[in-house]
């Protein structure tokens, strides 16, 4: 189909609008001081915290999200619509609202947090564990939606064939279903990790910004904007590079080169 000229023009203008902020960061980057900036103790501490928080959160998304994606893709009762809305809610909630919700749910006097603190002495707010919880909360929908979509596209024919051949539920799961959607699992985990790495509002509200403990790269970027703009640009470059690597590595999944996330 031939694209009308006006449509092409609007498309090119949109590309420019998306590219200008990226070009602005690259243009202002202190390339000659990049090595010194990257070796700053504050940046290294924030990088370490971000890696720990995002990797643990991605692992939690995998462990918690895979059963949930299976449930959503196979359930037929009406309540599944409500479950799907609940799963997607963190994607559309303002990050500060997400952090506030976590604080009132898991804080020392929160809905569940009071029992965690009174019975086990566990206090999640303003700790690295709290940062992991916040990152997992906002990143989980990205994993679940990606994997659920792949499960729906794969269908249940292969699983039914496995059942006919004598495979039990667990054998079907580990030797039929999961291998069929492995590319979607990888894509979902990568998206969840990158989302957790870039989390800001929920982390700040629920876990705070304590150097070496809960101050992640996005939080360090925000603080550096006032006192060290060049440092903020360098951190932005690091996060930008991570985002580009994730998107490039998943280009086959998004472009449908791998069976639209389902391995045939």
């Amino acid at each position: 189909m031939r694209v009308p000229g006006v449509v092409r023009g609007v498309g090119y203008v949109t590309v420019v609008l998306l590219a200008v902020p990226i070009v602005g960061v690259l243009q202002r980057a202190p390339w000659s001081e990049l090595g010194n900036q990257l070796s700053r103790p504050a940046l290294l501490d924030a990088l370490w915290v971000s890696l720990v928080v995002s990797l643990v959160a991605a692992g939690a998304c995998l462990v918690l999200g895979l059963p949930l994606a299976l449930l959503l893709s196979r359930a037929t009762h009406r309540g599944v619509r409500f479950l799907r809305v609940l799963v997607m809610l963190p994607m559309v909630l303002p990050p500060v609202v997400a952090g506030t919700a976590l604080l009132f749910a898991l804080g020392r006097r929160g809905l569940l947090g009071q029992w965690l603190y009174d019975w086990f002495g566990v206090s999640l707010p303003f700790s690295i564990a709290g940062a992991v919880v916040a990152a997992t909360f906002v990143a989980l929908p990205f994993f679940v939606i990606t994997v659920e979509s792949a499960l729906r596209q794969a269908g249940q024919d292969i699983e039914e064939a496995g059942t006919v051949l004598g495979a039990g539920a667990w054998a079907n799961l580990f030797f039929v279903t999961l291998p069929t959607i492995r590319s979607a699992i990888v894509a979902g985990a990568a998206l969840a990790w990158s989302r957790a790495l870039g989390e800001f509002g929920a982390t700040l509200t629920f876990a705070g910004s304590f150097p070496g403990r809960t101050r992640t790269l996005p939080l360090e970027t925000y603080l550096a904007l006032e006192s060290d703009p060049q440092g903020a640009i360098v951190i932005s470059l690091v996060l930008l590079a991570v985002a580009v690597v994730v998107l490039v590595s998943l280009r086959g999944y998004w472009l449908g080169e791998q069976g639209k996330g389902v391995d045939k």
Side-chain angles (χ1 to χ4, degrees):
M1 182 185 72
R2 183 175 180 179
V3 180
V6 174
V7 175
R8 287 202 306 270
V10 173
Y12 290 138
V13 170
T14 304
V15 170
V16 171
L17 291 176
L18 292 173
V20 165
I22 307 302
V23 174
V25 171
L26 296 175
Q27 186 267 332
R28 292 291 301 274
W31 299 107
S32 60
E33 296 292 324
L34 197 60
N36 293 332
Q37 288 287 345
L38 289 173
S39 61
R40 290 189 302 113
L43 188 150
L44 294 177
D45 286 345
L47 177 61
W48 171 250
V49 173
S50 287
L51 288 176
V52 170
V53 169
S54 61
L55 288 173
V56 175
C61 288
L62 179 62
V63 172
L64 300 175
L66 191 54
L68 182 55
L70 286 163
L71 173 64
L72 291 175
S73 65
R74 299 296 185 252
T76 57
H77 55 81
R78 294 180 179 179
V80 72
R81 295 182 180 179
F82 172 76
L83 291 178
R84 189 171 290 108
V85 170
L86 190 61
V87 169
M88 296 180 63
L89 195 58
M91 294 182 68
V92 297
L93 274 178
V96 175
V97 175
T100 303
L102 289 171
L103 196 60
F104 282 107
L106 300 174
R108 286 192 179 184
R109 295 297 128 208
L111 182 63
L112 297 178
Q114 58 180 325
W115 307 112
L116 289 175
Y117 184 72
D118 293 340
W119 291 357
F120 307 105
V122 174
S123 179
L124 291 175
F126 311 110
S127 66
I128 192 167
V132 170
V133 170
T136 302
F137 182 73
V138 299
L140 186 60
F142 292 86
F143 179 85
V144 173
I145 291 174
T146 301
V147 175
E148 184 200 355
S149 176
L151 285 166
R152 289 185 174 277
Q153 291 176 16
Q156 301 184 51
D157 293 343
I158 299 179
E159 296 174 1
E160 292 173 356
T163 301
V164 171
L165 293 174
W170 287 105
N172 249 335
L173 176 63
F174 285 105
F175 298 109
V176 178
T177 304
L178 296 185
T180 301
I181 61 165
R182 61 179 177 270
S183 63
I185 294 175
V186 173
L191 287 173
W193 174 71
S194 60
R195 178 64 184 88
L197 185 67
E199 169 50 34
F200 175 81
T203 302
L204 179 62
T205 307
F206 185 61
S209 179
F210 299 99
R213 189 170 61 173
T214 64
R215 183 173 296 172
T216 58
L217 285 175
L219 296 176
E220 180 66 25
T221 304
Y222 177 75
L223 294 173
L225 280 172
E226 296 183 358
S227 58
D228 185 12
Q230 286 192 340
I233 294 174
V234 169
I235 301 173
S236 299
L237 288 176
V238 172
L239 294 172
L240 177 62
V242 169
V244 170
V245 168
V246 170
L247 290 175
V248 170
S249 64
L250 297 180
R251 66 188 183 281
Y253 178 80
W254 298 120
L255 294 176
E257 296 172 4
Q258 300 178 21
K260 295 183 180 180
V262 180
D263 298 317
K264 304 293 185 181

